[in-house]
Amino acid sequence: MDINSWLTIITIFTAVIALLPKDDLKIQIFGKSKTAEILGVIMIFINLIIVPFLIFFDIIILRIPALKVFTVSWGINPNNIAFILFYLSFLWLVKELFYKSSVKANKKIIELFTDLLNNKSFPEFFKLFTRYTNKAEIIKKWDLYRAILFHPQFLNNIIDYRASYILSFWSHFDTERKFQSIFKLFLNNPNSSYYSEIKENWNYYSILDDKSFLQTILVYNLKQSIDNGIFLILTDHISHHLKSQNEYLTIYNQEHYYPKIRDNEGYDLPIYYHIRFIGLMYSSAIKNNIDISTISNKYPNMQSIFSNIVKLIVDNIVLTDNNRDMEFPSNYHWLINEIFDIQSEWLKQFGHSENEQNFDNNSSYISFIPSSIRFCLDELYKGLGENKITKDFLNRIVYHHILYDYFNVGVKKMIKESIDNEILKQIPKKIKKSIINFSVNEKLALNLDYLTDIDITHHKNRKDLLNLKNIINT
């Protein structure tokens, strides 16, 4: 091969390298492993020293005859050896440049990724970042890569762009500060998977398997979520919303209506998502035989998590003479009903014989669920005194969500006793009789005022009826 042929080959070689985008080339250069760096040095030595030496060997040997000792009559032409070495090194370089293997994490590569994050569109950056990294390497070098994953530019974009990516590292958000900073991003973004998955789960009390965000937060990493103060985050977020979002007050105080497409019901009210989230948290725990009060060393069951919401709702209610007697005079009333509906579902999931596999004699849920309902009712009693809650509304709440299933033979004895002690006996004395009587009349078409003990002894629900009469009189 003459010199012109070699110039042609080198030109083609250079053109191939030029095909690689500049950013890829930088990442490849700064992110090579130690082995790749050593091989690179060897290839440079071969191409800068050995190959030129072989190309001009015939001329060099004339000046240095002693080199003839390295030649044999049956040997390969030095030019051909040079070409073989050059071609092999060329193949190695193509493999290194165009085979997208993970790069070695170091300060220089993190600085390069940070620069790309700040100066390129997020899709362009993310394509490069995921091309040259993998989950295992990021976890292994977490102390380096977290500078990228916790970068504000990264977090503010990844929630919308590909939330599943950040979820894959969720177990590594192992401090309250880290966890809260990420979780709040989902809460504050109305387009995040927090909202979309809750809505997609609208007709179920347990979490569907394909809801990756909810599964990650409330199933696979529930202990971590509780440990890192998820109750406190939600409470603060809900409180802030109900106290400061004045533009929603009119919407919340409008009479509730039932849309034709029922899966849209309630989702025009932002707080409904949070109510559903709390409901799914406990429903999922009950289904998976997890007692939330025992899994965290820092935060047990938050007894007032729903009653705090009910209190804020009652404070905001504005009743008028036109809507006072309606089933749900306002969307606020409908939300209150949904809160009780969720808690009554907890009772069914945990305390009915049909869900025997979920029940545990030593579980905190035996007292927690009735206590949670009681605290919510306490806020309704206050609302009744302030004329924000009507007696009819209160009667319906107690009947539909507490006493409707009370006479069911499938209700566990321990649950029924807890309902007696935590809820029914705690109803204010001046309204206790009328509330219990309303439910008994609705369920059994009976009036306790006109039933003697003898009448009750012949009824199939005699134990419950006698117990309720006793509660009324205490």
Side-chain angles (χ1 to χ4, degrees):
M1 295 177 65
D2 59 20
I3 193 64
N4 289 327
S5 299
W6 276 105
L7 288 173
T8 301
I9 291 172
I10 292 171
T11 301
I12 295 172
F13 179 81
T14 305
V16 170
I17 296 175
L19 289 174
L20 193 72
K22 182 177 65 174
D23 295 323
D24 290 71
L25 189 58
K26 286 182 180 178
I27 294 171
Q28 289 280 18
I29 291 172
F30 293 120
K32 289 301 177 188
S33 66
K34 200 69 177 176
T35 302
E37 289 175 357
I38 293 171
L39 283 173
V41 171
I42 293 172
M43 292 302 172
I44 290 172
F45 176 78
I46 289 173
N47 284 279
L48 292 182
I49 305 297
I50 304 298
V51 169
F53 174 78
L54 291 171
I55 292 172
F56 296 102
F57 186 78
D58 291 336
I59 298 173
I60 295 172
I61 203 172
L62 294 175
R63 294 179 178 274
I64 309 175
L67 292 175
K68 287 184 179 180
V69 72
F70 297 107
T71 65
V72 292
S73 60
W74 44 268
I76 302 173
N77 186 291
N79 268 282
N80 293 337
I81 296 175
F83 180 77
I84 291 170
L85 291 174
F86 183 85
Y87 189 71
L88 290 174
S89 64
F90 175 73
L91 291 177
W92 172 83
L93 182 61
V94 169
K95 189 271 291 184
E96 287 295 300
L97 294 180
F98 292 95
Y99 177 70
K100 310 304 182 186
S101 59
S102 298
V103 296
K104 180 184 177 183
N106 52 53
K107 289 184 178 180
K108 188 66 180 177
I109 205 70
I110 297 300
E111 289 175 3
L112 180 56
F113 278 136
T114 303
D115 183 64
L116 293 172
L117 177 60
N118 288 326
N119 294 294
K120 282 191 168 293
S121 68
F122 189 78
E124 288 180 298
F125 158 78
F126 192 71
K127 184 177 180 181
L128 284 168
F129 184 70
T130 52
R131 179 185 298 169
Y132 293 108
T133 60
N134 60 61
K135 181 181 177 182
E137 178 68 13
I138 291 175
I139 292 173
K140 183 179 178 182
K141 301 288 186 178
W142 183 254
D143 288 342
L144 282 172
Y145 277 110
R146 67 182 179 183
I148 300 294
L149 270 62
F150 281 96
H151 193 288
Q153 184 78 353
F154 183 88
L155 291 176
N156 289 333
N157 283 277
I158 196 66
I159 303 302
D160 283 328
Y161 188 73
R162 192 182 299 175
S164 59
Y165 184 80
I166 203 73
L167 291 177
S168 64
F169 301 102
W170 199 268
S171 61
H172 291 271
F173 306 140
D174 51 4
T175 67
E176 285 195 31
R177 184 181 63 82
K178 291 177 185 176
F179 177 88
Q180 292 178 14
S181 66
I182 305 295
F183 186 66
K184 284 179 181 178
L185 288 174
F186 285 90
L187 276 180
N188 293 328
N189 185 340
N191 298 315
S192 73
S193 49
Y194 172 88
Y195 293 96
S196 61
E197 289 192 11
I198 290 173
K199 187 173 183 180
E200 290 163 4
N201 214 96
W202 72 277
N203 201 31
Y204 299 88
Y205 287 101
S206 57
I207 302 170
L208 299 176
D209 292 339
D210 64 341
K211 305 307 171 208
S212 59
F213 175 83
L214 295 176
Q215 288 283 343
T216 298
I217 308 300
L218 300 182
V219 179
Y220 306 134
N221 298 286
L222 178 60
K223 181 181 186 306
Q224 178 203 33
S225 297
I226 303 297
D227 281 343
N228 288 322
I230 196 170
F231 288 134
L232 305 182
I233 302 170
L234 285 168
T235 299
D236 286 347
H237 187 83
I238 293 167
S239 178
H240 177 75
H241 173 74
L242 287 176
K243 288 181 178 180
S244 64
Q245 297 293 329
N246 293 324
E247 66 268 26
Y248 286 109
L249 288 180
T250 302
I251 298 174
Y252 283 126
N253 270 307
Q254 287 179 356
E255 176 192 348
H256 183 73
Y257 69 96
Y258 295 98
K260 295 281 191 288
I261 303 174
R262 293 299 294 274
D263 59 333
N264 287 326
E265 185 177 19
Y267 290 107
D268 57 333
L269 310 171
I271 193 177
Y272 183 50
Y273 288 91
H274 313 314
I275 291 170
R276 289 281 296 165
F277 183 81
I278 296 167
L280 290 169
M281 180 190 302
Y282 274 96
S283 292
S284 173
I286 292 169
K287 178 183 176 182
N288 292 307
N289 299 114
I290 296 172
D291 188 342
I292 285 179
S293 72
T294 65
I295 65 172
S296 174
N297 297 324
K298 299 170 67 176
Y299 301 106
N301 291 313
M302 190 171 180
Q303 304 273 4
S304 59
I305 190 160
F306 268 147
S307 62
N308 284 337
I309 301 175
V310 175
K311 179 183 185 305
L312 292 168
I313 285 176
V314 171
D315 288 343
N316 286 346
I317 286 177
V318 177
L319 275 183
T320 66
D321 291 336
N322 293 329
N323 62 14
R324 182 176 297 275
D325 296 327
M326 296 177 178
E327 181 183 12
F328 298 120
S330 71
N331 283 317
Y332 277 134
H333 289 79
W334 182 82
L335 288 169
I336 291 172
N337 184 72
E338 289 299 298
I339 288 173
F340 279 95
D341 183 62
I342 287 169
Q343 293 176 109
S344 68
E345 185 63 27
W346 293 347
L347 281 176
K348 293 176 188 175
Q349 291 177 333
F350 179 75
H352 276 229
S353 57
E354 63 189 42
N355 296 311
E356 184 72 35
Q357 71 280 5
N358 298 334
F359 186 76
D360 181 352
N361 288 329
N362 299 313
S363 175
S364 70
Y365 297 142
I366 294 172
S367 61
F368 164 72
I369 300 173
S371 293
S372 178
I373 294 173
R374 172 208 166 175
F375 292 139
C376 291
L377 283 171
D378 286 344
E379 299 304 326
L380 296 191
Y381 302 148
K382 295 174 187 176
L384 182 66
E386 298 168 357
N387 291 319
K388 294 187 174 186
I389 299 296
T390 65
K391 184 69 176 302
D392 286 342
F393 180 78
L394 183 57
N395 284 340
R396 290 196 302 270
I397 288 292
V398 174
Y399 168 60
H400 288 295
H401 304 303
I402 301 165
L403 287 177
Y404 179 82
D405 280 326
Y406 186 82
F407 301 99
N408 190 320
V409 294
V411 178
K412 292 284 186 180
K413 181 181 178 182
M414 294 179 73
I415 293 295
K416 191 169 288 189
E417 290 174 351
S418 187
I419 290 173
D420 289 343
N421 295 324
E422 298 293 337
I423 299 175
L424 300 180
K425 290 181 180 179
Q426 306 305 322
I427 300 175
K429 191 166 184 65
K430 63 180 179 180
I431 59 174
K432 184 187 296 182
K433 180 178 179 180
S434 63
I435 287 177
I436 294 177
N437 259 334
F438 176 87
S439 294
V440 172
N441 185 263
E442 287 289 310
K443 181 67 177 180
L444 304 176
L446 297 174
N447 190 324
L448 286 176
D449 286 340
Y450 300 109
L451 284 178
T452 65
D453 289 349
I454 296 176
D455 295 328
I456 293 175
T457 57
H458 298 292
H459 198 280
K460 64 177 182 178
N461 298 111
R462 56 186 177 277
K463 288 184 178 179
D464 295 325
L465 290 170
L466 287 170
N467 183 51
L468 290 175
K469 282 198 73 172
N470 182 56
I471 290 173
I472 288 174
N473 295 324
T474 57

